Amino acid sequence: SAAVELLGLMHYMEGMRLITVIEMVTVTSDENVTVTDTKFNNVPVRLYLPRRAPDGLRRAMIYFHGGGWCLGDAGMKSYDHMSQRVSNELNAVVVSVNYRLVPEHRFPVPFEDAYSVTKFFLQSSVLSQYGVDPTRVCVAGDSAGGNLAAAVAQQLLEDPEVKTELKAQILLYPALQALDLDLPSYRDNDNKPLLSKSLMVRFWSEYFTSDPSLREAMASNRHVPAESGHLFQFVNWSQLLPAGMRGGHVYSGPTFGSAALARRYPGFLDPRAAPLLASDARLHGLPHTYILTCEHDVLRDDGAMYVQRLRAAGVRVTHEHAQDAFHGALMFTLWPVELAVGHRLLNSFLGWLNENL
């Protein structure tokens, strides 16, 4: 029943927040990397600076953590470990962003925090302060953080004040659209570990409002009004997914919902929340892209459809599809089965970064 699910979900959220707290590590510098908590444009960031003498200017990565926009922290062990490795092994500056979280701060606040840190860091004076090569900066993120990285990369193209172009965007099992929540990946992975369909629906709806009417409409995939029907071309999985990822599923097209609901909570129709809704013309100038998708993940098809759309727009894309992985495999090495996969995927991502940043 809905009440049990809600209770289960509240426990899940509290449990996850607890894991976040338990997982937190204090700022620890070592012989290779200096770690400091500071603020960029009033947004808290954890900054990783390599200690060894640079061989010329350094590379840089701006990272946004996952957690459905309402959980997670740059200081969690898994994120801290990854940032330390990137900084040390790539001799790179890493800016790991603690954007404000839902429910205290809903869309567009997390996006605006992510964007303002990126814009601040990309100023030539800031890049030179940290010895960063302006031609070798990327944005990256996992899950909801992948959503923010993709949205930030798109927005930078529209911003005449930003002169520095990103070298790359790294999107690790990103959430990219809330228009169609009945994709084959949602059907196949309805109750898989870590991220069930009901939890992802909850994350999406909470990003915009606590009003249960949006969550209920999203859960039955009847939240998009007919007047926004043209947007479905951007998420039409029957066109955008390779045959092998469509499985035995049949595309039936949208069932439209209330125009009043969408007018009250227009965020899910906004490309800053749903980067897959950007027009082809807007995708055209995006940087070299790395997208990781996991087979056992409700978000699998979001990433795969973005791969298709970016390639069609002429963007260079590396698509890594992990057949044996669940959502969160890269960060949550909590289960023995995920450990090997997680390490493999992390090494693969680091290898790509090293060659392409």
Side-chain angles (χ1 to χ4, degrees):
S1 77
V4 171
E5 184 168 291
L6 189 60
L7 205 61
L9 200 81
M10 284 167 59
H11 284 308
Y12 182 92
M13 293 287 190
E14 281 166 19
M16 289 296 285
R17 281 219 160 151
L18 195 63
I19 290 173
T20 304
V21 173
I22 295 168
E23 269 259 306
M24 290 293 289
V25 286
T26 48
V27 173
T28 319
S29 304
D30 63 17
E31 67 278 8
N32 299 315
V33 180
T34 302
V35 186
T36 45
D37 282 335
T38 180
K39 288 189 173 178
F40 282 177
N41 246 3
N42 283 325
V43 180
V45 299
R46 190 165 278 202
L47 187 62
Y48 298 79
L49 301 171
R51 291 199 176 197
R52 67 173 180 270
D55 186 13
L57 293 173
R58 291 195 166 99
R59 308 183 265 195
M61 175 174 83
I62 301 162
Y63 195 86
F64 310 108
H65 67 77
W69 304 280
C70 69
L71 303 159
D73 192 283
M76 286 171 71
K77 283 193 191 89
S78 44
Y79 292 116
D80 185 66
H81 168 72
M82 187 207 60
S83 299
Q84 297 253 17
R85 279 194 64 183
V86 170
S87 183
N88 182 33
E89 293 172 28
L90 275 67
N91 199 16
V93 174
V94 177
V95 181
S96 194
V97 184
N98 273 323
Y99 53 90
R100 283 171 289 176
L101 298 174
V102 174
E104 295 80 5
H105 306 280
R106 299 190 195 274
F107 176 80
V109 174
F111 166 78
E112 286 171 348
D113 283 358
Y115 192 72
S116 76
V117 166
T118 306
K119 188 165 171 170
F120 174 87
F121 187 71
L122 290 176
Q123 297 174 103
S124 53
S125 58
V126 178
L127 292 171
S128 68
Q129 181 187 339
Y130 293 106
V132 171
D133 183 339
T135 67
R136 301 178 81 186
V137 181
C138 71
V139 290
D142 64 293
S143 200
N147 166 282
L148 295 171
V152 163
Q154 288 184 4
Q155 187 83 6
L156 287 170
L157 299 176
E158 313 280 303
D159 192 335
E161 293 173 13
V162 180
K163 304 288 183 255
T164 309
E165 287 183 15
L166 294 176
K167 175 87 183 276
Q169 60 173 345
I170 291 100
L171 314 177
L172 308 171
Y173 32 81
L176 297 171
Q177 61 86 36
L179 221 59
D180 187 351
L181 299 172
D182 190 36
L183 304 168
S185 57
Y186 275 94
R187 298 175 193 173
D188 292 344
N189 301 294
D190 187 18
N191 281 304
K192 290 277 167 73
L194 222 62
L195 190 62
S196 63
K197 175 178 173 169
S198 61
L199 182 57
M200 192 62 224
V201 165
R202 182 65 184 263
F203 281 145
W204 268 124
S205 61
E206 289 285 343
Y207 195 21
F208 309 114
T209 177
S210 61
D211 180 347
S213 60
L214 180 62
R215 183 171 76 245
E216 285 154 16
M218 281 182 160
S220 59
N221 214 35
R222 292 164 186 258
H223 54 295
V224 180
E227 65 213 41
S228 304
H230 63 283
L231 293 173
F232 276 95
Q233 65 182 309
F234 299 133
V235 300
N236 182 339
W237 59 265
S238 70
Q239 307 285 313
L240 294 170
L241 284 184
M245 289 180 94
R246 283 180 238 148
H249 299 287
V250 178
Y251 186 76
S252 55
T255 309
F256 294 114
S258 146
L261 192 64
R263 273 198 284 277
R264 214 159 44 235
Y265 312 114
F268 66 85
L269 302 170
D270 190 324
R272 294 172 305 161
L276 256 170
L277 302 187
S279 67
D280 295 340
R282 277 196 72 189
L283 301 182
H284 181 67
L286 285 168
H288 194 177
T289 301
Y290 177 94
I291 295 181
L292 169 66
T293 52
C294 296
E295 179 66 24
H296 309 291
D297 182 2
V298 292
L299 299 179
R300 174 191 75 206
D301 296 348
D302 283 20
M305 290 195 294
Y306 204 38
V307 168
Q308 177 59 34
R309 289 202 55 213
L310 289 172
R311 284 181 176 154
V315 177
R316 273 175 74 202
V317 183
T318 300
H319 179 199
E320 171 133 7
H321 181 63
Q323 283 287 356
D324 52 351
F326 290 88
H327 184 83
L330 204 67
M331 296 304 148
F332 289 89
T333 46
L334 301 176
W335 291 283
V337 67
E338 287 289 78
L339 275 170
V341 179
H343 291 304
R344 189 189 81 226
L345 294 176
L346 182 56
N347 288 333
S348 172
F349 150 58
L350 286 167
W352 187 90
L353 258 186
N354 197 28
E355 280 173 35
N356 295 287
L357 183 58

